[in-house]
Amino acid sequence: MNIRNPQYLVWEFTLACNMRCKLCGSSAGKPRKNELNTQEVMKLCEQIRELKVNRISLMGGEPFIRNDWELVLDFFHGTEQEVEFISNGLLVDKKIAKKLRHYDIYGISFSLDGTEEINDKLRNFKGSYKAIRRAVETCQEEGLRVGIISQINKYNINSIKELYNILVEWQIDGWQIQLTNPLGNAKASKLIVDEDDIILLHDSILEIPKDRQLDIFFADDIGYFCDYEPFLRSSYLQNGVWLGCQAGLLVSGLTSDGGVKGCLSLPDEFIEDNVRKRSFVEIWNDKNLFSYNRIGHELHGFCRECDFAKLCKGGCSSLAYSTMGHLGEIKHCWHRIMKSRSQQDSDQNPLHPQE
């Protein structure tokens, strides 16, 4: 197959974190045992530039805990690569915001999951909401593009419209909505949404004005061929249609100790190789790697017989693996849920021939 350069790279800059969120899919807190040192980080930056990655997203843990993040920005400053940050906001002050402005980053996004009460409970940190508000204001004062990333789960699913109104009031530029997946700290929690919640989620989405006052990006674990799929995807996909997981095709992820995945959200079983063994360029261009998407994987259950199987390919790989234990089947799929319920209604109300 023709291997294209990755367009988007999510880099776990460190697993160290100053929060212990109930939702954290990485179970962040302590750094990994052998994280890349500064010299290795800068060598990796050269390889990222060689691959002509379009956008690099530095996250954690909390990326600002490391003291060499500015070196990465300096390296990519003035190049074709765009750099953005994902942060919990606790460390973002005027000094950091000014540096981010100096290096003309693409933007910075903060994790916010609801009102003050809801957010602080989910983030397991009293004062998190206020800290994010301060960080947002600080970055906006420096003219930075500011986004919010929200995880939807059983605790906050009834307050989506309220959260939307908060973000409009805050004049946020972009809002990414995703599901809480059963990974990391959330693996054994009771927060994970079920089929009824998916219907409620989509009803809530419909309440968002079509002339939305901020860009909304629905993550890869939401949707799949519902009536208003173009509304879900139109902010960032020209055709407005889900075309399958792009892990290992156009997207890649890096762990803080050099592991290379097709998507950072996939568990460590999906690490293909390590940049300490060979370069990121060699790993990415190895035709034998990322086979689950480059060659394809088996579809299961409903997904195998679905009319959209060739386009969808079983939905988000991370969600599939974390909920089903294998790729190629998504139980949170809107199309699957509605078709199943339609069939149930038909079975319960059969048409009887006239006597």
Side-chain angles (χ1 to χ4, degrees):
M1 66 170 295
N2 181 33
I3 298 175
R4 298 173 58 183
N5 291 342
Q7 294 183 5
Y8 186 47
L9 172 66
V10 183
W11 186 352
E12 176 195 272
F13 205 47
T14 178
L15 197 57
C17 191
N18 48 3
M19 291 179 67
R20 301 293 185 274
C21 301
K22 296 178 180 180
L23 310 177
C24 182
S26 305
S27 298
K30 296 180 180 179
R32 293 182 188 266
K33 290 183 179 180
N34 190 23
E35 296 191 332
L36 300 178
N37 60 38
T38 299
Q39 183 178 0
E40 291 172 316
V41 163
M42 300 316 297
K43 182 179 180 180
L44 181 53
C45 286
E46 294 176 359
Q47 296 165 15
I48 292 171
R49 184 172 61 185
E50 184 179 346
L51 270 177
K52 298 181 180 180
V53 176
N54 290 352
R55 187 178 303 165
I56 305 131
S57 181
L58 293 178
M59 61 174 293
E62 172 53 43
F64 293 112
I65 286 180
R66 283 191 68 135
N67 58 15
D68 51 3
W69 57 267
E70 193 173 352
L71 295 176
V72 175
L73 292 188
D74 185 64
F75 180 89
F76 288 113
H77 186 52
T79 69
E80 295 180 351
Q81 282 71 49
E82 299 173 332
V83 181
E84 62 183 356
F85 283 84
I86 299 174
S87 169
N88 60 36
L90 294 185
L91 299 177
V92 177
D93 55 13
K94 195 75 172 177
K95 183 178 179 181
I96 285 181
K98 283 184 176 295
K99 288 182 178 181
L100 298 179
R101 176 72 277 169
H102 170 74
Y103 288 109
D104 193 27
I105 67 167
Y106 178 81
I108 183 168
S109 294
F110 301 103
S111 302
L112 184 74
D113 301 305
T115 62
E116 184 170 1
E117 178 183 359
I118 290 174
N119 182 80
D120 286 4
K121 185 175 181 64
L122 289 173
R123 293 291 158 184
N124 204 25
F125 189 98
K126 187 173 177 59
S128 170
Y129 181 93
K130 287 185 171 66
I132 294 168
R133 184 71 183 108
R134 287 193 299 268
V136 166
E137 290 177 342
T138 299
C139 290
Q140 287 175 332
E141 288 170 0
E142 293 301 320
L144 295 172
R145 183 187 287 109
V146 177
I148 291 292
I149 299 175
S150 302
Q151 290 194 37
I152 304 303
N153 50 72
K154 282 185 173 294
Y155 193 70
N156 65 3
I157 195 166
N158 290 302
S159 60
I160 294 175
K161 183 65 180 299
E162 190 173 4
L163 180 53
Y164 169 82
N165 291 333
I166 290 172
L167 303 188
V168 170
E169 179 185 342
W170 288 10
Q171 298 182 327
I172 296 299
D173 295 297
W175 183 25
Q176 177 173 305
I177 302 174
Q178 60 194 56
L179 299 181
T180 297
N181 286 198
L183 296 166
N185 292 348
K187 188 170 186 178
S189 76
K190 297 180 180 179
L191 294 171
I192 309 305
V193 298
D194 55 29
E195 291 187 6
D196 290 336
D197 296 321
I198 292 296
I199 293 176
L200 177 58
L201 169 61
H202 285 74
D203 289 344
S204 300
I205 290 172
L206 286 177
E207 293 181 2
I208 297 174
K210 291 297 186 291
D211 58 341
R212 45 199 181 193
Q213 298 179 52
L214 71 161
D215 285 333
I216 302 178
F217 306 89
F218 294 91
D220 293 352
D221 55 10
I222 294 178
Y224 313 124
F225 304 98
C226 51
D227 292 340
Y228 43 94
E229 183 85 6
F231 175 74
L232 297 181
R233 315 279 174 208
S234 59
S235 293
Y236 57 102
L237 292 179
Q238 288 184 349
N239 52 24
V241 176
W242 167 257
L243 294 176
C245 172
Q246 297 300 306
L249 299 176
L250 297 177
V251 176
S252 186
L254 290 168
T255 63
S256 55
D257 57 0
V260 179
K261 303 180 187 180
C263 170
L264 189 61
S265 296
L266 286 166
D268 285 353
E269 298 97 285
F270 286 83
I271 291 177
E272 303 285 345
D273 210 329
N274 194 291
V275 297
R276 284 180 167 137
K277 297 179 180 178
R278 52 177 175 158
S279 77
F280 185 30
V281 178
E282 289 181 87
I283 295 170
W284 181 260
N285 289 323
D286 189 332
K287 295 182 179 181
N288 296 314
L289 301 182
F290 310 101
S291 60
Y292 56 92
N293 273 345
R294 290 183 178 179
I295 297 175
H297 54 262
E298 183 181 358
L299 298 181
H300 303 273
F302 177 88
C303 293
R304 180 187 297 163
E305 307 300 328
C306 180
D307 295 336
F308 301 107
K310 290 185 178 180
L311 286 176
C312 181
K313 303 177 181 67
C316 169
S317 294
S318 176
L319 179 63
Y321 196 80
S322 64
T323 55
M324 307 300 291
H326 54 256
L327 303 180
E329 186 176 13
I330 289 282
K331 67 179 181 180
H332 291 80
C333 167
W334 171 256
H335 176 66
R336 170 183 177 166
I337 292 171
M338 295 310 297
K339 193 165 185 178
S340 173
R341 298 213 167 188
S342 176
Q343 182 62 47
Q344 290 175 11
D345 290 342
S346 176
D347 292 343
Q348 292 172 2
N349 299 285
L351 296 177
H352 298 285
Q354 293 182 351
E355 294 182 359

